[in-house]
Amino acid sequence: MKRKTQIEYPLNPSSSVIIWNAISSTAGLERWFADRVTKEGKTYTFRWGKTETRQAIVVNSRPEFFIRFHWLDDEEAKSYFELKIHYNELTTDHILEVTDFAEPGEEEDVRNLWDSQIETLKRVFGV
């Protein structure tokens, strides 16, 4: 059974609209998450390189707050990955909270993958 992993990434003061577009739009996701992203209804298709393709459905979202995806090839119905934006009024920083599920023993690999992806997001969007 997969284990839930949550990681928080502080982002420089920036517009939540910029962050929201980066995590929810096909154009935004193509800049940091996958090489090619298409959307049909609630189904997103992610492509990496020439061979890897995965599809995910949006199971829940609230504009400018969070988006939750479920991989269609994931047999565990309750697993998902979620990107959530928090705002800290004291520091005026935004925090991107990533929730994902990992097989036992693979939590560190999942964390490293997200670290790498979010570093790309920060660099590309200047956040």
Side-chain angles (χ1 to χ4, degrees), residues 25-111:
S25 73
T26 56
L29 288 162
E30 279 183 356
R31 293 181 67 191
W32 69 277
F33 187 74
D35 297 328
R36 177 112 173 84
V37 182
T38 55
K39 178 182 168 193
E40 193 170 311
K42 290 187 169 201
T43 303
Y44 284 66
T45 301
F46 300 95
R47 290 183 179 83
W48 295 271
K50 293 181 179 174
T51 56
E52 189 175 356
T53 300
R54 287 187 84 188
Q55 289 188 308
I57 189 163
V58 175
V59 289
N60 202 351
S61 72
R62 196 164 101 205
E64 293 185 40
F65 183 58
F66 78 93
I67 187 162
R68 180 180 292 182
F69 295 93
H70 173 74
W71 293 115
L72 295 181
D73 60 3
D74 191 333
E75 294 173 8
E76 289 192 33
K78 292 185 177 179
S79 71
Y80 59 88
F81 73 97
E82 180 180 85
L83 305 165
K84 185 184 288 188
I85 303 166
H86 296 283
Y87 178 70
N88 183 327
E89 290 185 20
L90 289 174
T91 63
T92 68
D93 287 336
H94 288 88
I95 294 170
L96 183 62
E97 179 185 314
V98 175
T99 303
D100 201 351
F101 286 76
E103 295 290 347
E106 294 182 4
E107 295 92 348
E108 194 63 31
D109 292 342
V110 166
R111 183 177 294 273

Side-chain angles (χ1 to χ4, degrees), residues 15-34:
S15 163
S16 62
V17 174
I18 292 170
I19 301 166
W20 175 249
N21 286 335
I23 66 173
S24 66
S25 73
T26 56
L29 288 162
E30 279 183 356
R31 293 181 67 191
W32 69 277
F33 187 74

